Amino acid sequence: MSKLLVLVLFVVYSEACYWNAPCTYQLFGSKTPYDTVRGDIRDYATPPNCEAVSIWTLNRHGNRNPGDSVTRGMKEVSLLRDEIVQSWDMGTSKLCAQDIEDFRNFKWNDTMDVATSYLTGTGYDELYGIGQRLREKYPHLLSGPADKFYFRPTNEQRTITSCVAFIHGLSDGTNLNVTMEQARQRDDVLRPYENCDRYQHEVKDGYALAYQLETYFNSPKYVAIQNAVQNRLGIETQLNASMVFSLYEMCRFYRTWSPDYRSPWCAAFTEEELPFIEYYEDIRHYYRNGYGSWVNENLGRLAMKDLYDSFMAFLEGSGRKISGHFTHDTMMEMVWCALGLYKEDAPLQATTMDPHRAWRSSYIGAFSSNIIAVLNSCDEVSSQPANQYYRVQIFINERETPLCPLEGCTMEEFQDKFKFFTDANLDFCSLSYEQNEHDPSTNNAPSVNAFWRYRP
Ligand SMILES: *[C@@H]1O[C@H](CO)[C@@H](O)[C@H](O)[C@H]1NC(C)=O
Ligand SMILES: *[C@@H]1O[C@H](CO)[C@@H](O)[C@H](O)[C@H]1NC(C)=O
Ligand SMILES: *[C@@H]1O[C@H](CO)[C@@H](O)[C@H](O)[C@H]1NC(C)=O
């Protein structure tokens, strides 16, 4: 949906109801459905005279239920449903009759209470779909002994089940017999931030993050939205900042479980308000997982070392055909930083939203976000004997990236960008560790972090 279209529709239908709006806003930060942002690996050609020989992927888990505290907030505002409906009867509501009827028919989904943070059926389908498309694109990779395949999730139901779904999609209808690794209690490659003291103290519990979030919720723009929602719903209960955000959570979670990606709770917001609420998560993730701290890009490096080592092992004859890893948006975003992707010239700020920012969680941290690296073995047919060489393609969310051209990086280019990661370690995580590592200028990968700005 083009921006222009949204604009035109907004002007023409500014009084429109939510339920029959021809298109509705699609970007909901880390709760954006994968289908909204993905490309399709099947649409990209294998480089000429080449055949894929090894694939390495890192995946965020798919659609899941909200966690504990989010569920609690959602439950609390879900109780406003009757008041929202009554306000319409009393004439104080600005919503449309059908949107009110949809509110009346709303039912709290009990699976959220018993399966907190669990992968949903929608999430299973997302990962199955990625596996299926890889199977259709690279059928020749799906045979051979089990030790040519490797799959590892972090130690959570949602990543373990995502791994199962991915393998299911990959192997469905084939004779492939593969297993997944036991998740590790502590996984310093797939979740290094969990045991990184410096990250926990200076980033997650750090000042910058708390300051930005507080600034966001007190910003004139958010306060205006809060008042507008109050007025639109016409209810007597006074909404505060966190209740308005819980209404947004109702909207963005429930819509992902409906076939048409709609929920009556989204009627609480206008198409103009949603992009600014979406921005909250970009701020949060920027300071928690992203360029807001030098720690984050360091935490992304070990996974890229794993990718590099994996392809080097293949060249030395001991590699795997497919390696899949299943993790969290925190990790995905740390990897983007290690790679120098989606970087702004100036740090994101809670009060000034750049509509063209590269760091946008809807695109870079949606459910099932992933990076897929494909090692292709190629033959120069014109030379006798045929000269063999390699090409590496890298996709993010099944789309082209600036990391390598579509026809692939040469092995030399790949090594130029990724060899840097072989020195990665977690020494900096110790709070007593002191070195020049704090200085970002001594800390950047030579060619990878060359200020790439990439907008999907
Ligand atoms: C309830 O939520 C689950 C996800 O937890 C979803 O798969 C299911 O479709 C939902 N049910 C309804 C009736 O929306
Ligand atoms: C799959 O492989 C495992 C060992 O790797 C073996 O025990 C099992 O019988 C195999 N299953 C099938 C259906 O071949
Ligand atoms: C908003 O109100 C709810 C209950 O009415 C309360 O639990 C919550 O802490 C309040 N949030 C803020 C930011 O004041």
Side-chain angles (χ1 to χ4, degrees):
M1 183 172 56
S2 77
K3 294 209 174 80
L4 186 65
L5 188 61
V6 175
L7 192 68
V8 170
L9 287 173
F10 181 74
V11 172
V12 177
Y13 293 100
S14 59
E15 299 299 315
C17 305
Y18 172 76
W19 68 275
N20 66 350
C23 39
T24 55
Y25 194 67
Q26 304 285 307
L27 303 177
F28 288 86
S30 64
K31 310 304 178 298
T32 303
Y34 183 50
D35 272 351
T36 303
V37 296
R38 75 173 173 92
D40 192 322
I41 192 88
R42 296 170 300 189
D43 288 330
Y44 294 100
T46 298
N49 308 317
C50 299
E51 186 180 63
V53 289
S54 184
I55 293 178
W56 186 98
T57 79
L58 182 71
N59 305 267
R60 184 192 180 199
H61 59 76
N63 184 287
R64 64 160 168 83
N65 279 334
D68 256 339
S69 66
V70 171
T71 307
R72 254 180 282 125
M74 288 168 68
K75 191 141 209 174
E76 189 186 315
V77 296
S78 77
L79 302 176
L80 295 174
R81 192 269 305 264
D82 292 345
E83 207 185 323
I84 291 169
V85 171
Q86 283 154 17
S87 303
W88 197 82
D89 298 334
M90 296 183 326
T92 51
S93 173
K94 308 281 190 300
L95 301 185
C96 301
Q98 185 62 52
D99 287 329
I100 291 292
E101 184 178 331
D102 293 345
F103 263 112
R104 193 179 282 122
N105 293 331
F106 167 82
K107 280 190 192 63
W108 176 260
N109 187 330
D110 289 332
T111 59
M112 282 196 288
D113 302 322
V114 293
T116 304
S117 294
Y118 271 36
L119 195 77
T120 63
T122 308
Y124 191 95
D125 292 346
E126 287 173 349
L127 269 298
Y128 178 96
I130 299 170
Q132 177 209 332
R133 289 188 290 279
L134 285 170
R135 160 163 51 85
E136 289 176 11
K137 171 81 185 170
Y138 305 108
H140 61 281
L141 286 180
L142 300 174
S143 59
D147 68 353
K148 291 286 169 197
F149 298 87
Y150 183 86
F151 302 98
R152 187 166 101 230
T154 64
N155 194 20
E156 300 287 347
Q157 189 276 351
R158 59 190 179 280
T159 41
I160 293 169
T161 312
S162 291
C163 182
V164 169
F166 179 90
I167 294 175
H168 184 194
L170 199 60
S171 59
D172 213 358
T174 74
N175 292 322
L176 195 64
N177 178 13
V178 295
T179 52
M180 114 182 117
E181 290 283 305
Q182 182 79 35
R184 301 173 181 180
Q185 280 299 327
R186 171 175 177 157
D187 194 324
D188 276 344
V189 174
L190 299 185
R191 222 181 188 185
Y193 47 92
E194 286 284 278
N195 298 291
C196 180
D197 287 346
R198 188 179 296 281
Y199 173 78
Q200 297 294 331
H201 285 87
E202 293 182 6
V203 183
K204 202 172 165 197
D205 297 335
Y207 173 76
L209 177 61
Y211 171 79
Q212 289 289 339
L213 297 188
E214 182 167 340
T215 306
Y216 174 87
F217 281 120
N218 291 317
S219 68
K221 196 143 186 195
Y222 191 84
V223 172
I225 291 173
Q226 186 180 321
N227 293 334
V229 169
Q230 179 87 50
N231 186 263
R232 193 170 300 124
L233 297 180
I235 54 177
E236 270 176 17
T237 300
Q238 279 302 307
L239 299 172
N240 63 26
S242 51
M243 289 161 86
V244 169
F245 203 83
S246 292
L247 288 169
Y248 179 69
E249 299 280 21
M250 289 297 288
C251 156
R252 64 176 180 164
F253 272 104
Y254 274 92
R255 69 184 286 283
T256 65
W257 303 324
S258 84
D260 59 354
Y261 290 147
R262 287 183 199 231
S263 156
W265 295 90
C266 299
F269 303 97
T270 66
E271 301 266 308
E272 261 189 327
E273 291 162 356
L274 288 171
F276 189 72
I277 309 185
E278 174 199 0
Y279 186 54
Y280 162 80
E281 225 164 40
D282 300 343
I283 292 293
R284 179 163 183 263
H285 289 204
Y286 187 89
Y287 288 93
R288 194 177 183 272
N289 315 335
Y291 292 104
S293 165
W294 64 272
V295 173
N296 295 329
E297 60 186 277
N298 280 262
L299 286 166
R301 289 179 185 168
L302 281 167
M304 292 298 91
K305 171 176 158 50
D306 194 273
L307 160 59
Y308 180 81
D309 290 346
S310 169
F311 282 177
M312 287 305 122
F314 192 94
L315 263 48
E316 283 153 21
S318 62
R320 300 178 179 123
K321 289 184 164 185
I322 302 182
S323 315
H325 310 84
F326 300 84
T327 183
H328 307 270
D329 56 357
T330 303
M331 188 61 205
M332 300 307 297
E333 291 172 348
M334 289 171 172
V335 165
W336 307 151
C337 292
L339 294 171
L341 295 169
Y342 315 114
K343 189 170 189 169
E344 319 289 335
D345 290 338
L348 259 62
Q349 297 293 334
T351 44
T352 44
M353 177 179 91
D354 172 3
H356 305 297
R357 66 197 175 280
W359 184 267
R360 191 160 186 170
S361 18
S362 300
Y363 291 118
I364 68 178
F367 284 130
S368 300
S369 297
N370 58 78
I371 177 168
I372 300 177
V374 182
L375 179 65
N376 297 281
S377 170
C378 316
D379 285 315
E380 196 153 13
V381 275
S382 56
S383 68
Q384 282 297 335
N387 186 22
Q388 201 206 10
Y389 60 95
Y390 291 93
R391 288 284 180 271
V392 176
Q393 292 171 296
I394 301 184
F395 303 94
I396 290 179
N397 296 341
E398 300 179 64
R399 291 176 185 278
E400 189 179 356
T401 74
L403 294 169
C404 285
L406 270 185
E407 63 273 20
C409 283
T410 65
M411 216 53 212
E412 204 175 22
E413 289 166 336
F414 175 72
Q415 286 177 328
D416 258 6
K417 290 178 176 163
F418 284 82
K419 194 164 196 295
F420 165 79
F421 295 117
T422 53
D423 292 335
N425 62 62
L426 297 176
D427 294 350
F428 65 92
C429 283
S430 158
L431 287 168
S432 58
Y433 182 79
E434 280 192 43
Q435 243 196 13
N436 292 338
E437 306 266 325
H438 299 249
D439 174 1
S441 62
T442 62
N443 209 24
N444 284 346
S447 53
V448 177
N449 281 353
F451 303 109
W452 277 328
R453 297 168 59 84
Y454 169 57
R455 300 192 169 89

